């Protein structure tokens, strides 16, 4: 299979589930481009940072643990670390203000950082921490950085989600799990929010030349599982008693990072956006009336909670 259906682009093999982040940027020149990768110092984020930097991008890694991040990316040319806690909107604003003061535009923003299956934790104004960190923090980051994202007229925003089943789902009557907290339901909701956010951002941003995407990286063992015990993962059949991955679906972080890196850089996706990708291929779009209404409703809720709405309504 090739991309020969895109006039002007050379034929090349399609990438898939076994491709790596390094492979998908081979031949792509990102010299002069600025990329921001949240959580870009661990797991999928670190693999993404390495690949983008190797292709010539200047990569900014916002990190809740900046000293740990500097150790992780040390020796990778073209990478800088800045402090950012997505669960703290003051921290998000501070990072954005520092970046905007540099006068640079944003060519690529990969919303990669996140938490999974965390115990019930309240942040901000009593927000459930997974929804706050995985969605609201990134929503606020994009809105604060909007002048820099829109400046170049061709930026891409990639939101790292997960599997979403038949369709994304939000608990509109209790988004912060005031009753009946379940760590997996809360995680699933935050990932649904990621998908709906990307779809609505694409609709709102395309007139400024900004396109947005969501992706499912697949099954990867990374520090994202920090809140799970070994017994939980053994019981789920993910690993054996020695910590060895058992499911044949598991891939290495370099492979898990391929889709987000490809979507952020692939020339053949110029003019595309709004979809949900996995294994370096489009898996779903969100143009149905119910999906569009849900995406717009989430945007409105997010604006109310954060007090931010810099992008505006789609034309």
């Amino acid at each position: 299979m090739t991309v020969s259906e895109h006039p002007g682009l050379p034929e090349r093999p399609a990438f898939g589930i076994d491709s790596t982040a390094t492979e998908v940027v081979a031949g792509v020149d990102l010299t002069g481009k600025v990329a921001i990768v949240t959580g870009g110092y661990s797991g999928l984020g670190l693999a993404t940072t390495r690949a983008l930097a190797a292709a010539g991008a200047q990569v900014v890694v916002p990190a809740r643990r900046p000293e740990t991040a500097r150790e992780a990316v040390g020796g990778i040319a073209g990478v800088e670390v800045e402090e950012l806690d997505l669960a703290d909107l003051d921290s998000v604003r501070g990072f954005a203000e520092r970046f905007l003061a540099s006068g640079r535009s944003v060519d690529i923003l990969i919303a990669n950082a996140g938490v999974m299956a965390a115990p019930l934790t309240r942040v901000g104004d009593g927000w459930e921490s997974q929804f706050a960190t995985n969605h609201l923090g990134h929503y606020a980051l994009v809105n604060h950085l909007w002048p820099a994202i829109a400046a170049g007229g061709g930026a891409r925003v990639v939101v790292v989600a997960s599997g979403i089943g038949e369709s994304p789902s939000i608990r509109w009557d209790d988004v912060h799990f005031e009753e009946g907290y379940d760590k997996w339901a809360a995680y699933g909701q935050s990932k649904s929010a990621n998908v709906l956010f990307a779809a609505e951002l694409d609709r709102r941003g395309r007139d400024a030349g900004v396109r947005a995407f969501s992706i499912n990286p697949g099954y990867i063992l990374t520090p994202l599982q920090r809140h799970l015990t070994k017994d939980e993962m053994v019981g789920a059949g993910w690993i054996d008693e020695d910590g060895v991955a058992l499911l044949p679906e598991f891939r290495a972080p370099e492979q898990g990072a391929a889709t987000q890196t490809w979507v952020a850089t692939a020339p053949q996706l110029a003019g595309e956006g709004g979809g949900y990708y996995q294994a370096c291929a489009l898996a779903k779009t969100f143009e149905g009336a119910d999906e569009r209404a849900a995406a717009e409703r989430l945007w409105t809720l997010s604006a109310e909670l954060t007090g931010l709405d810099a992008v505006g309504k789609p034309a």
Side-chain angles (χ1 to χ4, degrees):
M1 179 180 178
T2 70
V3 294
S4 58
E5 65 271 19
H6 297 271
L9 290 177
E11 292 194 357
R12 62 187 297 182
F15 298 111
I17 193 170
D18 292 316
S19 300
T20 67
T22 299
E23 290 170 349
V24 302
V25 293
V28 175
D29 185 4
L30 299 179
T31 303
K33 303 292 186 182
V34 176
I36 296 176
V37 183
T38 65
Y41 60 102
S42 177
L44 304 180
L46 180 56
T48 301
T49 294
R50 287 196 181 109
L52 295 176
Q58 181 72 27
V59 185
V60 180
V61 175
R64 186 172 58 85
R65 299 171 295 157
E67 292 308 315
T68 300
R70 290 187 182 98
E71 290 181 11
V73 303
I76 307 176
V79 178
E80 60 188 85
V81 174
E82 281 281 351
E83 185 171 1
L84 168 67
D85 182 351
L86 287 165
D88 180 346
L89 292 192
D90 287 338
S91 177
V92 176
R93 184 182 67 251
F95 166 81
E97 288 175 348
R98 294 191 300 275
F99 183 89
L100 292 173
S102 74
R104 293 178 291 179
S105 60
V106 176
D107 300 289
I108 297 168
L109 192 157
I110 301 182
N112 166 84
V115 293
M116 182 178 79
L120 178 60
T121 306
R122 299 290 177 194
V123 300
D125 294 333
W127 302 336
E128 188 278 313
S129 63
Q130 296 187 80
F131 185 77
T133 302
N134 298 348
H135 169 59
L136 291 176
H138 284 120
Y139 171 89
L141 181 64
V142 167
N143 276 270
H144 277 304
L145 289 175
W146 187 248
I149 295 171
R156 297 187 192 182
V157 177
V158 182
V159 186
V160 179
S162 186
I164 59 168
E166 290 298 317
S167 63
S169 177
I170 305 294
R171 285 175 40 139
W172 299 112
D173 59 339
D174 186 16
V175 73
H176 294 300
F177 285 82
E178 298 293 341
E179 297 182 4
Y181 181 73
D182 178 276
K183 64 183 181 181
W184 286 111
Y187 175 71
Q189 173 179 256
S190 74
K191 297 289 99 177
S192 288
N194 289 157
V195 168
L196 293 172
F197 168 53
E200 184 66 13
L201 176 60
D202 185 72
R203 281 190 281 272
R204 290 171 177 253
R206 65 183 61 171
D207 285 347
V210 178
R211 306 309 302 260
F213 311 78
S214 58
I215 71 99
N216 175 15
Y219 291 87
I220 321 291
L221 288 176
T222 72
L224 182 65
Q225 288 90 34
R226 68 178 68 89
H227 292 295
L228 299 178
T229 67
K230 186 178 86 167
D231 286 346
E232 283 180 291
M233 291 190 281
V234 169
W238 293 3
I239 61 174
D240 63 19
E241 290 290 345
D242 297 320
V244 177
L246 296 176
L247 291 179
E249 294 90 351
F250 274 116
R251 295 295 186 273
E254 260 277 318
Q255 295 168 311
T259 299
Q260 62 203 61
T261 306
W262 179 75
V263 167
T265 62
Q268 58 266 43
L269 292 184
E272 302 292 329
Y276 169 77
Y277 288 74
Q278 55 190 19
C280 297
L282 178 64
K284 186 172 175 58
T285 58
F286 303 93
E287 293 300 326
D290 289 346
E291 293 164 332
R292 294 188 64 150
E296 186 172 356
R297 183 176 182 182
L298 177 68
W299 189 282
T300 300
L301 173 63
S302 303
E304 291 172 352
L305 291 171
T306 64
L308 297 167
D309 192 358
V311 184
K313 292 184 177 181

